[in-house]
Every structure is written in C-alpha cells, then in structure tokens.
Amino acid sequence: MEKQEKRTLTGCARLRGEINVPGDKSISHRALMFASLARGRSQISGLLQGEDCLATLRAFRALGVHVDTQDHTRLCVHGAGLAGLKEPADVIDCGNSGTTMRLMSGILSAQPFFSVLTGDQYLRKRPMKRIVEPLGKMGARIFGRDGNNRAPLAIVGGSLTPVKYSSVIASAQVKSAVLLAGMQTEGVTTVYEPHLSRDHTERMLRYFGVALESFSGGAQVTGPVEMDGRDLVVPGDISSAAFFLVAGLIVPDSELLLKNVGVNPTRSGIIDILRQMGGSIELLNEREQCGEPVADLLVKSSQLSGIDIGGELVPRAIDEFPVISVAATFAAGVTQISDAAELRVKETDRIEAVCSSLNKLGGRAEPLADGMHITGTGHLNGGSVSSFGDHRIAMSMAIASLRTSADVTIEDTACTETSFPGFWALLNHIRQD
Ligand code: S3P
C-alpha cells in the first residue's frame, strides 16, 4: 500500500448511534471464489469492497471469469465452472491478503495451467509452508522463496490425489486451501484441526449444495464437486464491528447499535471475551442469512475487568486481539493472552506491534512468546504511534485514542482500506464531543 496518511485524533465525551459495518472479509473472499467456480450467474450483495477482497476479484478476472460490478457492494459473477478458469497472462497480485494467496493456492494447484502469486512487502514475509506442505502431499507443485515458504509462489497446476491431513495449527486458511484443492480432486479429502477455526468455507460449500461433511475436529469433501451459481448476501464483519464494540464499552456514557453483523460461533469469540470482562453486549433480531447466523449488537459502556484468554477461544477471536488489548488497558486488573503465537505471523507481528504501541502511550503491555500480559491502567497518554502497515493496529490505536488524555497521531493509516473502507467517517459519525 503506497499511500500513507498520518492522522491526529482527540478523545471524545461519548459515542451514540446506529451503524452498519462493511461486509465480512472472509465471507466476501469465499463468495467471490465459490461464485467463480460455480456454473452460471451468482448475484452477490453486501460484498466488502476492501483492498483484500478486490485482490481476489482481480485474480478471478485475470483467470477469465466475467464479473459485472453493479454498485459499490453488489456484483454479478458469471462463473464458468471448475473447468472454466484460464491460464493468467501475468503474475497475480494478492496485495496484503493472506486469504487470497492461501486459498487461491488451493484452487490453482488443481488447475491445468501455470500461475504465479505475489503480494505486498508484508505478505511476501508471511509463511506459506503451512499450505505448500499439505497441498504438496496431494501432489501439488508449488515453488517459492525460502525453501517454498515465501511468495512469490509459482504453481504448476495439475491433477491431485486426495489426502487425510492433520494440521498442527487451527487455521481456516490452511483448512480451506486443502478443501478447495480437494473439491477439484477425485476421491475423499479430509482435513483435521486442533481447534475449530472459522467454518465459512464449509457453510458456503453446503449453501452451494455440496455434500460437505463437518465433524468435531475437521471437515471432509468428496470431489470433484459440481456447483451452480446462487445468490449470496454477505453479513457485516464482526471483526470490523469489534472496534466499535470496544469503543462503546470503554467510552463512558455510550450506546451503539451495530446492525446486521455476522455472529457465526467460530467468529464470535470477541463477544464471549468482552462479556466475560463485564461488557454489556446484547444480541437482537437473531436470524440466518445464506447459511450464516446474523444479529444486531447493542453495546453500552461498562466497567471491565481483566481475564485469562487461551485455548479454543483464540481461533474464535484471532483477528480481534489488537483491539482486545485496548479493552484490557481500560479494564481493572490483568488480562493474560496465551496460545496465540499465530499473532506473530499476521499482517505484522501483532504481539510486538500492540505492546510497543500501548507502552508508547503509557500503557503496560508485556509481550510473551505466545501472547501478552496486559495490566489495566485505566488511562493512556497522547503521543505518536505507527500502524506498522497493519489495518487492525491502525484501527485499534484509533479506538484507544478515544480515551487518551491528549492527542494521538497515527502514522500510515491508509492501510485501513484493506478491510474497512469508511472507518474514519463512521468513527466521526458516532462521536459526540
Ligand atoms: C481468515 C482466517 C484467519 C484470519 C484471516 C482471515 C480466512 O487466518 O486471521 O484474517 O478468511 O480464512 P488463519 O486461518 O490463518 O488463522
């Protein structure tokens, strides 16, 4: 991301209002992928037009899929079926998006052509062995830097053999890459994981009519599958809502209604964590939409207390730890986060980035090998922090700044476009000074 954009923010008296957060990033990627691999027309509404999902959209256009964009969140994909993709004429740029690169690797490994995936300076540093290894066991030929662990990845696609793969990490990207390869492969492909990671791939495959089996500890697909186009509605992203949940809790005298948010249990760890900390969050108007649970979330300012977070809760809140650390800073007592070494290989090392940023503003956060030890100070000072080029660090610092005693300057905020276009306007819309 080339644009930098430095912003200076001031604290505010209270937050009030009703907001809609943009579409879920994980579901938007999958909607574009499954609609492209299905035969015929799929109308998608509520799609996240963040940079990450636009990278997936551009990738499928480069693979010959025809997509009509109707307005900024609605588009129509004319899928050509599993056999309809074409060899791309150029390298595919996944930008900052790990989901694009890892899931596309699963798709492209089984396609009868050559393709190359690259990304920005952050994505090219992230580990890819986690997908290269299981796909390799299926016979995929993927080559990359650093012993096939870093992008650019060159993929010599071809027919694969099914596997039973046990992943040592709970990663939806690993699970999905294997299932996406498996759905194009003759036979039964099974993937096991130590804790349940987000299950949007499984739900969406079922929504497209594929007989996918989920069981405790994994999922199984019998390929090759056939899918026809279906209309999809993408719910609001709970990972984007998380910033406003924490804001509504830590700013006194606040009340926010977040409409139409996805509350899939594999994603709603943030609600469980904040409630355990004493946060008042109500789920209203619970319903199901295209196989995904959705609700409106009502959040009111609350006195929070520190808690221990680890185990199965971690994959259910994996993207929310930067903003959970902000909640922990304004909670009484200590919050200990463990079993979260994965945070070190996200868009940036989120353990180091969060601890150094909070400490710069007068917080007390100690990095651990697999998490953080945060002592609630109930207070932060003004100062200057960096986003480290990471959208979720930039937005977490913006939420922290609502309660600082002086102005906070955040360097390099343009990265919020990755997952949350319109974040700054929405924040302004609900603040009452
Ligand atoms: C995602 C899975 C998660 C998450 C990422 C999106 C997905 O990564 O951190 O932002 O859409 O599958 P892991 O599954 O690797 O933990």
Side-chain angles (χ1 to χ4, degrees):
M1 194 138 330
E2 305 310 329
K3 279 197 305 171
Q4 299 268 302
E5 283 180 29
K6 169 156 101 181
R7 284 175 193 266
T8 299
L9 298 132
T10 44
C12 80
R14 69 186 68 78
L15 302 169
R16 289 288 162 92
E18 196 177 297
I19 57 176
N20 284 288
V21 294
D24 186 279
K25 180 157 80 68
S26 292
I27 299 176
S28 294
H29 282 298
R30 287 158 175 83
L32 289 167
M33 290 176 184
F34 292 123
S36 296
L37 297 174
R39 265 187 326 225
R41 192 175 159 281
S42 298
Q43 174 93 38
I44 307 174
S45 50
L47 190 93
L48 171 65
Q49 295 269 357
E51 281 303 321
D52 271 19
C53 299
L54 293 176
T56 294
L57 172 59
R58 283 192 284 268
F60 279 102
R61 283 188 165 141
L63 292 163
V65 177
H66 179 64
V67 184
D68 295 323
T69 316
Q70 285 152 344
D71 64 37
H72 73 292
T73 60
R74 267 167 18 109
L75 41 78
C76 186
V77 179
H78 303 271
L82 292 180
L85 301 183
K86 308 261 181 313
E87 185 171 77
D90 202 349
V91 169
I92 293 176
D93 186 356
C94 304
N96 190 244
S97 175
T99 307
T100 308
M101 182 167 285
R102 295 192 177 120
L103 270 58
M104 291 306 296
S105 298
I107 294 172
L108 294 170
S109 296
Q111 290 287 324
F113 53 71
F114 175 72
S115 52
V116 180
L117 301 174
T118 192
D120 70 7
Q121 54 167 322
Y122 305 102
L123 183 54
R124 279 183 275 115
K125 287 196 195 112
R126 296 182 65 186
M128 293 297 146
K129 224 324 120 63
R130 55 181 59 201
I131 51 111
V132 171
E133 187 203 88
L135 295 172
K137 287 187 193 299
M138 299 179 76
R141 286 178 298 160
I142 308 180
F143 308 90
R145 293 182 305 124
D146 187 21
N148 300 334
N149 189 30
R150 317 244 174 224
L153 298 179
I155 303 175
V156 184
S159 65
L160 304 179
T161 47
V163 276
K164 278 190 180 17
Y165 182 72
S166 290
S167 176
V168 292
I169 45 172
S171 161
Q173 295 180 347
V174 172
K175 174 172 63 177
S176 302
V178 175
L179 292 174
L180 282 158
M183 65 188 249
Q184 305 175 75
T185 301
E186 178 93 44
V188 182
T189 294
T190 313
V191 50
Y192 302 97
E193 53 184 350
H195 290 298
L196 182 60
S197 64
R198 62 190 68 190
D199 65 355
H200 305 301
T201 296
E202 295 94 304
R203 284 174 186 258
M204 200 174 290
L205 274 170
R206 267 190 229 106
Y207 180 71
F208 271 92
V210 173
L212 175 122
E213 226 183 284
S214 296
F215 45 87
S216 105
Q220 177 168 298
V221 67
T222 304
V225 306
E226 286 201 3
M227 301 185 294
D228 291 322
R230 296 214 52 179
D231 291 349
L232 288 150
V233 183
V234 179
D237 196 327
I238 191 164
S239 297
S240 297
F243 299 106
F244 292 95
L245 290 178
V246 172
L249 293 175
I250 66 169
V251 176
D253 192 24
S254 297
E255 181 168 324
L256 297 172
L257 182 65
L258 314 181
K259 304 271 289 180
N260 196 36
V261 180
V263 288
N264 179 321
T266 62
R267 296 286 301 285
S268 58
I270 179 69
I271 297 177
D272 298 344
I273 288 168
L274 294 174
R275 279 179 169 169
Q276 273 183 45
M277 294 177 83
S280 164
I281 302 173
E282 264 180 82
L283 266 64
L284 308 172
N285 192 16
E286 290 183 65
R287 56 210 185 266
E288 190 163 306
Q289 196 176 276
C290 303
E292 289 281 351
V294 178
D296 301 334
L297 307 181
L298 180 66
V299 57
K300 294 181 188 162
S301 329
S302 307
Q303 180 53 56
L304 303 178
S305 307
I307 57 166
D308 289 346
I309 307 168
E312 60 84 36
L313 254 182
V314 172
R316 295 180 52 232
I318 191 67
D319 292 336
E320 282 63 81
F321 286 99
V323 79
I324 288 168
S325 318
V326 174
T329 294
F330 290 98
V334 168
T335 296
Q336 172 100 10
I337 300 163
S338 328
D339 306 323
E342 272 297 297
L343 297 178
R344 294 204 175 268
V345 290
K346 290 295 177 189
E347 284 80 334
T348 187
D349 177 339
R350 286 185 171 159
I351 293 177
E352 293 303 326
V354 161
C355 292
S356 71
S357 305
L358 288 176
N359 292 338
K360 247 181 137 180
L361 299 178
R364 281 180 61 197
E366 193 192 322
L368 307 172
D370 71 340
M372 292 175 255
H373 181 93
I374 299 167
T375 306
T377 54
H379 174 88
L380 286 177
N381 308 320
S384 175
V385 289
S386 165
S387 70
F388 298 86
D390 181 329
H391 52 134
R392 298 202 200 279
I393 302 291
M395 292 186 278
S396 298
M397 289 304 112
I399 299 309
S401 79
L402 297 169
R403 282 285 309 268
T404 52
S405 53
D407 289 1
V408 174
T409 299
I410 310 174
E411 305 280 347
D412 187 6
T413 63
C415 54
T416 55
E417 290 294 313
T418 297
S419 65
F420 203 149
F423 171 76
W424 304 102
L426 217 45
L427 193 57
N428 266 337
H429 172 71
I430 54 166
R431 55 186 294 152
Q432 295 190 348
D433 296 310

